[in-house]
Amino acid sequence: MIDAIRSLGRWGLSVFERLGRGHLFLFDTLKGVPELFLRFSLVTQQLFSVGVLSVFLILISGLFVGMVLGLQGYNTLVDFGAEESLGVMVSLSLVRELGPVVCALLFAGRAGSALTAEIGLMKSTEQLSGMEMMAVDPMRRVIAPRFLAGFISMPLLAALFSAVGIFGGFLVGHGLLGVDDGAFWSQMQVKTDWYDDVLNGVIKSIVFGFVVTWIALFEGYDATPTSEGVGRATTRTVVHSAFAILGLDFMLTALMFGEE
Amino acid sequence: MPLIKIRDLHFYRGNRAIFEGVNIDIYQGKITAIMGPSGTGKTTLLRLIGGQLRPDRGTIEVDGQNVHKLSHSDLYALRKRMGMLFQSGALLTDLTVFDNVAFPLREHTKLPESMIHDLVLMKLQSVGLRNARDLMPSELSGGMARRVALARAVTLDPMMIMYDEPFTGQDPISMGTLVNLIHRMNDAMDLTSVIVSHDVAETAEIADYIYLLSAGKVIEKGSPVQLKRSSSQWVQQFMQGLPDGPVPFHYPGDTLEDDLFSQKVST
Amino acid sequence: MQNKSTEITVGMFVAAGIAAIFVLALKVSNLAEFNDEVGYKVVAEFENIGGLKVRSAVTMAGVRVGRVESIILNAETYNADVTINLYGNYDMIPVDTAASIYTAGLLGEQYIGLEAGAEDEFLQDGDVIDLTQPALVLEQVIGKFLFSKAEGDD
């Protein structure tokens, strides 16, 4: 019994310790961000590996998610004779929810885990330590550019995801199921609000990008420097990111759309 | 006036004492070796000197500056004058050999690319790898990786260089090459070298002065010749690599007779 | 050190992402209709606005001519003061125009419908629409209906 309480206490302390380290880590990272604008080529390189390499996955997934939405939405709406609203349904689902959330989950799996593995490997092969001894601060040289790249990439990827998804919904709705294309687009335009829907979706994706990149980099930086430790850290990145994304999504949704 | 002055150094990892009152002086222009069995914290000592770890008690002064009292920027300024050769080489895996050696120059200087090119080639020439400049670190053998790392460690012309186990896991040829290189670098560039190692023969060959560490303390110090003549049994066992002596061959515990006897009783 | 093709693909990626945001803004959402700045504002006082919201549509003969800008409670009359932003190109709306709150479809959202009057003078910035008809609140309608039914039975 005593042992159980003690281990619970130890677990609690370690959680707080990690939480504290994570925030100090974030603080150190953000300190390194401003000077990156003087050396943007560092960020460009990371935009390539974080952003560009994720584009293909995001586009394909977005297209299919949109197509599924088109099919499912049509089947539901047609019972009410409201299939003209298919465009609204697809665009609101994507822009408000699925775009930012699904894209962030995919981003955590594709780019987040890669970042953790990369940083963890750099740590275990003493590359980070080596940089420190060369008087190059790895927080500024390695971590900060990746952070900024993730932060910039995520909203762009989410926007691509939503745009492609809406196109996928249109392909299925108009091409396959014969919904009038004029009604599809015009209803969508009337009911989708720039501020309430699109901009809030973009804000969500910015928040998710921030959090996922932070988690991924911290897990890598904090990993036990062995191959096993890096593997575990990579798993943790995906799991913790998923929790963070879904939890934050609930809070943000309640904040943004709750008052209507 | 030693270049590195370590006084009353205490360092604990958890409850385990790594150092308990270590005093070491390292003099300008000399090759000083720090030796001891595995697990005595030799690498930890280098990290303490480089300011990557903080001692629990005691001071480390490098070139008159207390390493652990420096501000972040002063510490980084001091590190520019220190080179360190990691056991793995710690080359940046996504850069070529050339870019690895050019890395400190590009980070710390605003030299034009043509000058960086010439400087890097000179450094690579001195370790004999000028023609390997376009290879990636993954294509290098362990000994070559260490030579590249050595070239990188001296690109900023530091006042001192620290070697972490430079001879471990090398075949005889690359071992000889490294021994030779370290010696030559030290004399040609007026470096101060600190070698952490447990390869007795190679280290004794080039070291001017040796500290023997064990169980958190300096057991013996002196020139290689002095150590070989030491009266201490422990030093003799270490220097000659004898399997049994003050450091027992058997892991401490019950004697064999006790073990066999008790087993018989229990069955 | 930096690869040219890396830079180009990154540039393409950023451009595509920004283009996607523009598509969402202009093609998917109603941002294209935001030309409020060039419009003019009039106020209409309603007894009850029902479910009318800020940015609800304002139409005339079914054509959108503006948006609801703000809704506040008038502290003297306890009615709702609805500020309407009319698009600048519709500058020939008579001063005796009537405003009513309708519902789009059976379950749709509420909007303001304008019916043109006969005056030669046109509404200008800051004018007030006097003729208004409040939103139909379903409970009130049913209540009135039952009341009149009961009266009729007597």
Side-chain angles (χ1 to χ4, degrees):
Chain A
M1 184 64 194
I2 299 283
D3 270 1
I5 294 172
R6 197 175 288 159
S7 72
L8 190 72
R10 218 180 354 245
W11 178 79
L13 278 182
S14 75
V15 167
F16 279 120
E17 192 200 335
R18 273 181 69 78
L19 207 63
R21 256 187 311 181
H23 280 86
L24 289 174
F25 173 82
L26 178 65
F27 181 69
D28 279 347
T29 307
L30 293 179
K31 265 199 314 202
V33 167
E35 67 196 53
L36 285 175
F37 294 99
L38 302 176
R39 254 185 97 182
F40 207 75
S41 63
L42 287 179
V43 185
T44 318
Q45 240 160 5
Q46 296 311 319
L47 273 172
F48 182 79
S49 52
V50 171
V52 175
L53 294 183
S54 308
V55 165
F56 185 68
L57 171 76
I58 295 295
L59 288 183
I60 298 296
S61 315
L63 191 68
F64 277 102
V65 167
M67 280 160 51
V68 169
L69 275 177
L71 274 177
Q72 293 278 20
Y74 181 82
N75 286 335
T76 311
L77 291 170
V78 79
D79 290 344
F80 301 98
E83 66 269 24
E84 313 249 289
S85 302
L86 186 65
V88 186
M89 206 216 87
V90 170
S91 82
L92 285 187
S93 317
L94 276 169
V95 166
R96 282 182 166 196
E97 277 307 317
L98 295 177
V101 171
V102 175
C103 184
L105 291 173
L106 291 170
F107 182 74
R110 172 68 183 78
S113 59
L115 280 176
T116 306
E118 190 190 6
I119 303 289
L121 214 65
M122 287 183 89
K123 187 182 178 185
S124 67
T125 54
E126 294 180 313
Q127 292 183 49
L128 296 181
S129 219
M131 269 192 201
E132 266 183 40
M133 286 309 298
M134 284 188 279
V136 176
D137 191 345
M139 291 305 290
R140 294 175 187 195
R141 181 61 174 70
V142 177
I143 304 290
R146 282 168 176 75
F147 180 79
L148 191 62
F151 183 67
I152 295 174
S153 297
M154 181 55 211
L156 299 177
L157 289 171
L160 281 172
F161 186 94
S162 296
V164 171
I166 289 168
F167 180 68
F170 174 74
L171 275 186
V172 168
H174 177 66
L176 207 63
L177 303 167
V179 174
D180 181 54
D181 57 343
F184 186 94
W185 292 113
S186 67
Q187 288 248 6
M188 181 159 79
Q189 281 198 9
V190 169
K191 291 283 175 62
T192 311
D193 195 75
W194 163 245
Y195 286 109
D196 282 347
D197 302 321
V198 178
L199 212 57
N200 277 346
V202 172
I203 290 171
K204 271 188 182 178
S205 63
I206 291 175
V207 173
F208 295 159
F210 184 94
V211 173
V212 170
T213 319
W214 173 25
I215 291 177
L217 291 174
F218 176 64
E219 288 294 355
Y221 194 75
D222 204 48
T224 318
T226 58
S227 45
E228 194 200 3
V230 175
R232 268 207 308 269
T234 311
T235 312
R236 268 205 307 272
T237 293
V238 177
V239 173
H240 289 186
S241 298
F243 280 140
I245 291 164
L246 297 171
L248 277 171
D249 183 49
F250 174 74
M251 292 204 291
L252 288 172
T253 308
L255 275 177
M256 288 169 175
F257 308 117
E259 51 204 57
E260 276 179 50
Chain B
M1 176 69 195
L3 183 69
I4 303 174
K5 203 163 90 184
I6 300 174
R7 287 290 172 271
D8 190 32
L9 180 71
H10 285 68
F11 184 79
Y12 301 92
R13 187 157 275 161
N15 290 324
R16 204 161 72 90
I18 308 284
F19 298 118
E20 286 180 302
V22 167
N23 297 308
I24 291 176
D25 289 320
I26 290 164
Y27 286 91
Q28 170 78 45
K30 299 269 191 265
I31 299 179
T32 306
I34 305 200
M35 308 188 72
S38 307
T40 37
K42 301 185 297 291
T43 304
T44 308
L45 184 68
L46 293 188
R47 287 180 188 272
L48 282 161
I49 295 173
Q52 290 187 317
L53 295 171
R54 298 192 77 82
D56 290 288
R57 187 140 62 87
T59 56
I60 297 177
E61 281 181 20
V62 175
D63 198 21
Q65 293 171 290
N66 184 337
V67 175
H68 301 94
K69 290 243 160 65
L70 292 176
S71 69
H72 188 267
S73 55
D74 286 344
L75 177 62
Y76 271 71
L78 180 63
R79 280 186 187 159
K80 281 184 207 168
R81 299 161 58 209
M82 295 177 171
M84 176 144 168
L85 187 73
F86 284 83
Q87 196 175 343
S88 64
L91 296 177
L92 302 169
T93 42
D94 54 343
L95 300 180
T96 62
V97 165
F98 181 93
D99 288 333
N100 258 292
V101 179
F103 184 81
L105 290 170
R106 287 185 174 137
E107 290 295 320
H108 293 307
T109 67
K110 290 203 162 49
L111 293 176
E113 200 56 29
S114 63
M115 196 180 273
I116 289 180
H117 180 262
D118 295 350
L119 278 170
V120 170
L121 288 193
M122 275 161 59
K123 297 295 178 193
L124 280 174
Q125 171 72 17
S126 67
V127 297
L129 291 173
R130 186 171 40 79
N131 289 321
R133 60 177 175 266
D134 293 326
L135 297 180
M136 295 304 283
S138 55
E139 298 169 287
L140 300 175
S141 72
M144 280 156 81
R146 265 176 226 186
R147 276 149 72 191
V148 174
L150 181 57
R152 185 178 68 175
V154 296
T155 32
L156 290 176
D157 292 322
M159 59 180 176
M160 56 176 279
I161 183 158
M162 298 186 275
Y163 300 91
D164 186 4
E165 303 279 7
F167 310 121
T168 310
Q170 298 299 311
D171 62 68
I173 298 174
S174 53
M175 186 113 89
T177 316
L178 280 165
V179 171
N180 189 344
L181 261 179
I182 293 173
H183 200 185
R184 241 180 40 215
M185 285 271 179
N186 197 73
D187 292 352
M189 298 176 66
D190 195 25
L191 280 167
T192 305
S193 303
V194 183
I195 301 177
V196 146
S197 178
H198 49 228
D199 294 290
V200 177
E202 288 74 21
T203 314
E205 191 183 324
I206 51 171
D208 295 308
Y209 207 78
I210 297 178
Y211 282 86
L212 272 185
L213 291 184
S214 182
K217 293 204 168 58
V218 175
I219 301 281
E220 191 71 272
K221 57 185 176 179
S223 67
V225 180
Q226 282 172 320
L227 284 195
K228 276 178 185 151
R229 289 197 198 122
S230 167
S231 56
S232 154
Q233 273 190 311
W234 190 93
V235 174
Q236 285 303 330
Q237 189 193 358
F238 185 82
M239 295 299 284
Q240 293 174 32
L242 302 174
D244 209 352
V247 179
F249 170 69
H250 290 291
Y251 191 82
D254 292 341
T255 61
L256 180 66
E257 288 81 3
D258 285 349
D259 251 2
L260 290 174
F261 185 62
S262 62
Q263 215 171 22
K264 219 172 245 171
V265 167
S266 65
T267 44
Chain C
M1 190 159 71
Q2 182 84 229
N3 198 337
K4 259 274 177 304
S5 65
T6 308
E7 284 176 354
I8 292 168
T9 40
V10 167
M12 276 160 51
F13 162 62
V14 173
I18 291 172
I21 293 180
F22 266 100
V23 166
L24 292 180
L26 299 176
K27 186 84 183 150
V28 173
S29 82
N30 49 10
L31 182 67
E33 295 167 14
F34 278 118
N35 42 7
D36 292 4
E37 288 83 353
V38 294
Y40 59 102
K41 294 180 179 64
V42 297
V43 178
E45 195 178 320
F46 289 94
E47 233 173 77
N48 191 330
I49 58 161
L52 195 72
K53 291 194 192 79
V54 172
R55 284 209 294 282
S56 290
V58 177
T59 64
M60 187 169 232
V63 179
R64 173 168 289 182
V65 294
R67 284 175 164 275
V68 172
E69 169 115 339
S70 69
I71 301 169
I72 50 165
L73 186 70
N74 188 320
E76 289 166 21
T77 59
Y78 298 110
N79 287 335
D81 278 348
V82 177
T83 308
I84 297 168
N85 200 332
L86 292 166
Y87 298 151
N89 47 340
Y90 299 116
D91 53 358
M92 54 325 163
I93 298 170
V95 286
D96 58 343
T97 292
S100 322
I101 297 178
Y102 298 114
T103 306
L106 199 57
L107 300 166
E109 54 185 43
Q110 296 194 292
Y111 65 97
I112 294 180
L114 299 179
E115 274 133 66
E119 288 279 347
D120 290 338
E121 265 181 76
F122 299 130
L123 281 172
Q124 283 178 359
D125 195 52
D127 281 355
V128 174
I129 295 176
D130 295 321
L131 296 167
T132 63
Q133 193 188 329
L136 283 181
V137 179
L138 211 56
E139 291 92 325
Q140 287 179 355
V141 176
I142 294 168
K144 269 184 195 153
F145 173 73
L146 291 177
F147 190 67
S148 62
K149 195 87 170 142
E151 269 188 338
D153 282 350
D154 279 350

